[in-house]
Amino acid sequence: MASAASAPPTPTTPGNLKRIVAASLIGTTIEWYDFFLYGSAAALVFNKLFFPDSDPLVGTLLSFLTYAVGFAARPLGALVFGHYGDRVGRKKLLVLSLLLMGGATFAIGLLPTHATVGSAAPVLLTALRLVQGFALGGEWGGAVLLVSEHGDARRRGFWASWPQTGAPAGQLLATGVLSLLTAVLSDSAFTSWGWRIPFLLSGVLVMVGLWIRLSVDESPVFKQALAQAEARKAEQDTGAEKLPLVSVLRHHWRDVLVAMGARMAENISYYVITAFILVYATTAADVSKQTALNAVLIASAVHFAVIPLWGALSDRIGRRPVYLLGAAGIGLWMFPFFSLIDTGDFGNLILAITVGLVLHGAMYAPQAAFFAEMFATRMRYSGASIGAQFASVAAGAPAPLIATALLDDFDSSTPIALYVIAAAVLTLIAVGVAKETRNRDLADVESAADAASVTTATADARAV
């Protein structure tokens, strides 16, 4: 029984791997579309619709505060989805996350505004934002692991980077829909009813994503690990298996800290470049909403294209060198970034955002494989999700809020640039002390953790 359980997983064929990648990519694109749509709407119209009694910039701050609430729910999503994803599998939880995210986004499109129901409107908006955050907290880990665990070590960075392109694809889709609507509708029509259309479109997108996700198989590496765990439990009679969270904190706490530190520059820079910039460009640089949205749209297309290239490079030279290049680059780019935005020129706006997102991609692309390779299979969903989503509370959640507050207090981009640079330094330190994981066999990671887990479980049983 033990030998059968220990048999290597059946290799994934190239055709199946592409189908797995497509399922993860389409699902993450839809989830990120939903999440980013909220961020763009928060910058453009939610301050008027849900916080109309406030000063315009204060209204934007309150709007971004509800935006940040979604991040607060992501660690809870990471814990819940990570726990059950490590217990029952990746696929089931990915289907659930898609349904939760799509349902919440569709409901936002139906919400009454402050003019209709008063203070109940922002309360309902915040509640649905919490559901969005909870769903996304579980989505990311499952999507990247499903691909990482189907692929081989030689090209894992490339294949695992494709679910990461769901972020710019979702940004591209959300910004594209908003840009189209602002182009064809008057400001009054867009504010009155046009903003609802992209939220309601989520219902259609979810049906497509659900159909594709239900067609894929569970990770073979997870199936093998589950069989091994059941065999050990039967043979050694060590009692109930420890919770994945407990195992992560016991065996991988250093890796969790590394993952959190690695996320700082990546997360903060992304939301400053894509969400806050809609506020900065339209207020400090006096650029129209349409121009700012178009610049983000073009830059997101380039971002989508370069992520797999950075992922492939991480397969050749390692995860750490590519990640360090991105962190250093984003820190060095911040002052030129704001200088270009300040000109108000559309070409400079595109250049500033595009270079920023290309450098962000150098961190984001290898992140999926890098984090997956840190953790054992039966605690990988929990470990990767906890490391990524707990960091988002301190990084991405307050980034647009902090940047907007700094702009309000200092009326200058300098403090905002220094804020991103500080995050880059933290990421350089975290990734600098991490071990290189390229070419690590995920089954070997499992075996090492299993040995430690078995020793611990046996000692605990003897103590009792």
Side-chain angles (χ1 to χ4, degrees):
M1 185 177 187
S3 60
S6 300
T10 304
T12 303
T13 64
N16 284 339
L17 180 57
K18 290 177 182 177
R19 186 156 51 88
I20 296 294
V21 170
S24 293
L25 171 57
I26 291 173
T28 53
T29 297
I30 293 169
E31 297 237 13
W32 282 114
Y33 165 81
D34 292 346
F35 203 75
F36 287 141
L37 181 61
Y38 189 104
S40 297
L44 297 173
V45 295
F46 280 178
N47 58 332
K48 304 169 187 174
L49 296 172
F50 294 93
F51 307 99
D53 298 331
S54 304
D55 171 84
L57 197 55
V58 174
T60 301
L61 280 168
L62 292 172
S63 184
F64 274 142
L65 186 60
T66 65
Y67 173 75
V69 163
F71 286 83
R74 283 164 69 170
L76 180 59
L79 289 172
V80 174
F81 279 80
H83 172 82
Y84 288 103
D86 282 331
R87 286 295 181 89
V88 302
R90 288 48 168 134
K91 176 181 172 178
K92 295 181 179 68
L93 274 298
L94 284 174
V95 169
L96 178 59
S97 71
L98 187 62
L99 288 173
L100 284 173
M101 176 66 88
T105 305
F106 186 82
I108 289 174
L110 300 174
L111 274 184
T113 63
H114 189 279
T116 305
V117 296
S119 59
V123 172
L124 292 171
L125 180 69
T126 302
L128 291 172
R129 183 60 175 173
L130 283 168
V131 176
Q132 279 192 323
F134 179 79
L136 192 62
E139 162 68 23
W140 180 84
V144 300
L145 293 187
L146 197 63
V147 176
S148 296
E149 293 177 348
H150 273 88
D152 63 282
R154 187 174 62 85
R155 301 192 69 196
R156 185 179 297 128
F158 172 73
W159 289 117
S161 70
W162 278 101
Q164 299 291 76
T165 65
Q171 179 78 64
L172 191 64
L173 190 58
T175 306
V177 171
L178 285 171
S179 181
L180 176 63
L181 289 172
T182 56
V184 301
L185 297 176
S186 64
D187 283 347
S188 60
F190 180 76
T191 304
S192 175
W193 56 268
W195 68 272
R196 298 181 183 276
I197 294 174
F199 287 92
L200 297 176
L201 279 175
S202 178
V204 178
L205 296 175
V206 166
M207 292 300 103
V208 175
L210 192 61
W211 174 68
I212 294 173
R213 281 205 166 164
L214 287 171
S215 69
V216 303
D217 296 325
E218 183 56 81
S219 154
V221 172
F222 174 79
K223 289 180 180 178
Q224 179 197 22
L226 182 61
Q228 288 173 340
E230 293 296 331
R232 286 195 303 271
K233 183 178 177 181
E235 291 175 1
Q236 298 172 11
D237 192 26
T238 54
E241 189 178 2
K242 289 188 179 297
L243 295 176
L245 174 61
V246 175
S247 297
V248 166
L249 297 179
R250 173 170 285 183
H251 301 296
H252 289 287
W253 62 270
R254 291 183 182 84
D255 296 318
V256 169
L257 291 178
V258 166
M260 291 178 67
R263 286 275 282 170
M264 288 298 161
E266 177 268 307
N267 222 217
I268 289 173
S269 66
Y270 188 77
Y271 290 106
V272 167
I273 293 170
T274 60
F276 167 73
I277 201 59
L278 296 176
V279 174
Y280 184 82
T282 55
T283 56
D286 198 26
V287 173
S288 70
K289 287 189 295 186
Q290 184 67 45
T291 300
L293 282 168
N294 287 342
V296 173
L297 190 67
I298 294 169
S300 294
V302 176
H303 193 211
F304 178 90
V306 300
I307 284 177
L309 300 179
W310 285 123
L313 183 62
S314 78
D315 286 327
R316 296 180 65 87
I317 67 174
R319 318 295 184 217
R320 291 174 68 251
V322 176
Y323 213 118
L324 290 169
L325 173 64
I330 205 69
L332 293 172
W333 184 243
M334 276 301 101
F335 281 111
F337 172 80
F338 283 108
S339 295
L340 288 167
I341 300 293
D342 287 337
T343 67
D345 179 74
F346 182 55
N348 286 341
L349 202 66
I350 294 173
L351 177 62
I353 299 172
T354 300
V355 172
L357 288 182
V358 168
L359 292 169
H360 170 269
M363 295 180 282
Y364 200 54
Q367 187 181 99
F370 189 33
F371 288 9
E373 290 160 348
M374 290 181 183
F375 301 95
T377 303
R378 290 282 282 158
M379 57 189 85
R380 185 170 293 133
Y381 203 145
S382 295
S385 297
I386 290 168
Q389 304 307 335
F390 272 70
S392 70
V393 176
L401 192 65
I402 290 173
T404 304
L406 289 172
L407 179 64
D408 188 31
D409 288 344
F410 296 95
D411 195 26
S412 168
S413 63
T414 299
I416 306 166
L418 293 174
Y419 167 52
V420 179
I421 290 169
V425 171
L426 286 175
T427 293
L428 287 170
I429 293 171
V431 178
V433 301
K435 295 179 180 178
E436 179 57 62
T437 61
R438 180 173 64 106
N439 293 327
R440 182 174 290 177
D441 191 322
L442 296 184
D444 286 345
V445 177
E446 174 69 15
S447 299
D450 283 347
S453 182
V454 168
T455 301
T456 302
T458 305
D460 289 346
R462 287 174 179 172
V464 174

